[in-house]
Amino acid sequence: MQIIHSLIYMLCEMAPYILLGFLIAGLLHAFVPDDTFARHLSGRGWKSVVKAAAIGVPLPLCSCGVLPTAIALRRGGASKASSTSFLIATPQTGVDSIAATASLLGPAFAVIRPIAALVTSFFGGIGVGMAERSDSAGASSTQACQLQAEAPVSRSFARKCVDALRYGFIDLTGSIGGWLVAGLVIAALITVFVPADALAVLGDRPLLAMVVVLIVAVPMYVCATGSIPIALSLMLKGLSPGTALVLLMAGPAANFASFALISREMGRRTALIYLGSIVVGAMAFGLAIDYLMPASWFDVSSKIASASCHPAEIGLFPMICAGILVALLIFTFIRNHFHKSITTADMTQTYIISGMNCPHCQASVTKAIASVAGVDKVDVSLAGKSAVVEGSPSADDVIAAVRAAGFDATLPA
C-alpha cells in the first residue's frame, strides 16, 4: 500500500502543474507560426546560439522529439552551432517540466534548471561554432527552398484553440506519458524499497555520486518531466541536490540514439562537443549547488511525511487534476497502440520506419510522406514502426523524404 500512496502523492503534486504546462505548450504550438524558429536560427555566430537556447528552453519536446525538429532546422538553413544549442536546451526543460519541478522539488530547482539549460546550450553551441568548418554550406538550397515554399495555412481563432488543446492534452500527453508513468513507478519503488541509509556513502561524496549518476543517466532515456520524481526519491534517500540536478540535466538531454543521429547528420566532432557540454555543464552546476548555494534552498525533507500520506488527506483539486491526467494517459495509450492501419487492397505500399520513439517522431514522418507527390493517404504506426502509403508515389521519393526528416525507411524484404 505504501507504493500506491507514494504514487498517488507524487501524481497529485505534479498533475496541476503538468496540465498547466500542457495548456501553455499547446498555445505555443498553435499560435506561433511554424517558420518562426527556423527564421531566427538561420544566422551564424553567438546571437543565433542564444536565440536557439532561449527558444528551446520553454518548448516541451523530449530528446527523441527534438531530434527531427533540430534536423529540419539544420537542413532549413540553421547553423550547426544554433542547431546544437537547440538540441541541448530543449529536452532538459519545458513549460510542463519547469512547473512540475516547482511542485515537487521547490522554486530553487525550478529556477536553476532552465538557467543551467541555457548556459550549457550556449557554451555547447559556441564550441561547435568554433569548430565548424568555414566552408560548411548548411542545408542544400533545394531543401531550404522547399521549407520556405510551404505557405502558412490560415486558421480561425477557434480552430487554433482546438489545435492547442489537441496538441497539449493529446499529442504531448502521448509523447511523454509512458516516461512519466515509468518515472513515477521507479520513484515509488525507490521510496519504498531502498533503505534510508543505502545511499549515505554516495551522499557524503557528491563528486563520486555525480559520476555514477552520469554513467547511468547518459545511456538511459528519461524525459524532463519523468526524471523529476526519480530525482526527488534519490534526494530523500540521501543523495545531494547537486547530484539530483545532474540526473535532471543529463537524463533527458543525452542518450545513445541522440549521439548517433547527431554524428550522422552533423559529424562526430559536433556530437562529442554536444555530449561533453552536457556532462561538464551538469557536473559544474551540480557542484555549485552542493558547495556554493544554501542547503535550505533545496531541502525536501518535508516530502518524506507527505509521500506516505493517505489519499484522503490530499486536497480535492489536486485529486481532480490527477484524475484528468490519468484519463488522458489511458486515452493516449489506447490511441497510440491500438490505432488501426489503412487496409486498402490496391495502390498501397508498406514501408519499415526506423528511428521513431514518440508521437512527435510519428508526426514528423507522417508530414514528410504526405508531402511527396502522388501520396493520397498515409498511416504511420508508432508501435509497428511502419507506414502504409496509399496512392502512386515513387518509393525512392518516399524513402528520401523520410530520410530528409531524420529517420530511415526501407521496403519490406
Side-chain angles (χ1 to χ4, degrees), residues 100-389:
T101 300
S103 69
L104 276 190
L105 300 178
F109 265 115
V111 172
I112 292 174
R113 195 176 182 188
I115 291 175
L118 277 170
V119 173
T120 53
S121 60
F122 173 76
F123 283 104
I126 292 297
V128 170
M130 294 175 63
E132 189 174 0
R133 297 180 184 273
S134 60
D135 60 349
S136 176
S140 69
S141 59
T142 301
Q143 291 165 327
C145 292
Q146 182 179 3
L147 287 175
Q148 294 171 1
E150 294 179 359
V153 179
S154 178
R155 294 174 297 166
S156 66
F157 178 80
R159 179 63 183 175
K160 289 181 179 180
C161 290
V162 172
D163 289 345
L165 294 175
R166 180 184 295 111
Y167 177 82
F169 295 109
I170 303 299
D171 296 342
L172 192 56
T173 303
S175 175
I176 75 166
W179 297 109
L180 174 60
V181 172
L184 288 169
V185 172
I186 292 171
L189 293 175
I190 292 173
T191 301
V192 175
F193 292 110
V194 175
D197 59 349
L199 301 177
V201 175
L202 290 178
D204 295 334
R205 300 177 181 178
L207 186 59
L208 175 61
M210 291 176 192
V211 173
V212 172
V213 168
L214 281 171
I215 293 174
V216 175
V218 169
M220 176 183 70
Y221 174 78
V222 60
C223 75
T225 304
S227 63
I228 298 169
I230 300 176
L232 173 63
S233 297
L234 292 176
M235 287 178 64
L236 292 177
K237 294 302 178 179
L239 286 189
S240 69
T243 305
L245 183 71
V246 170
L247 172 66
L248 292 172
M249 292 178 65
N255 59 68
F256 286 153
S258 301
F259 183 86
L261 186 55
I262 295 169
S263 297
R264 188 186 77 181
E265 291 293 325
M266 293 189 281
R268 179 60 62 88
R269 182 168 53 180
T270 298
L272 289 172
I273 295 174
Y274 152 84
L275 182 60
S277 63
I278 294 171
V279 170
V280 173
M283 294 193 67
F285 273 92
L287 291 171
I289 284 179
D290 285 342
Y291 292 104
L292 300 179
M293 299 182 187
S296 58
W297 288 6
F298 309 97
D299 184 17
V300 294
S301 58
S302 61
K303 303 291 183 180
I304 297 177
S306 301
S308 59
C309 67
H310 192 274
E313 302 172 18
I314 300 174
L316 178 61
F317 180 70
M319 290 288 286
I320 292 174
C321 291
I324 294 173
L325 182 58
V326 169
L328 290 172
L329 290 171
I330 294 173
F331 173 78
T332 53
F333 175 82
I334 295 173
R335 178 176 178 263
N336 291 339
H337 291 273
F338 296 97
H339 184 65
K340 294 183 178 179
S341 300
I342 298 174
T343 56
T344 51
D346 301 317
M347 305 288 287
T348 63
Q349 176 63 60
T350 300
Y351 296 84
I352 306 301
I353 310 295
S354 58
M356 294 191 301
N357 296 291
C358 71
H360 288 292
C361 306
Q362 182 184 25
S364 297
V365 173
T366 301
K367 182 178 179 180
I369 296 177
S371 67
V372 176
V375 173
D376 296 328
K377 293 181 181 179
V378 57
D379 182 72
V380 178
S381 171
L382 180 62
K385 306 295 183 184
S386 63
V388 179
V389 180

Side-chain angles (χ1 to χ4, degrees), residues 25-52:
L27 294 174
L28 287 173
H29 174 80
F31 287 92
V32 177
D34 293 338
D35 64 342
T36 298
F37 303 136
R39 283 191 287 106
H40 287 283
L41 303 184
S42 59
R44 298 180 181 274
W46 67 269
K47 289 184 179 180
S48 64
V49 171
V50 172
K51 287 181 180 180

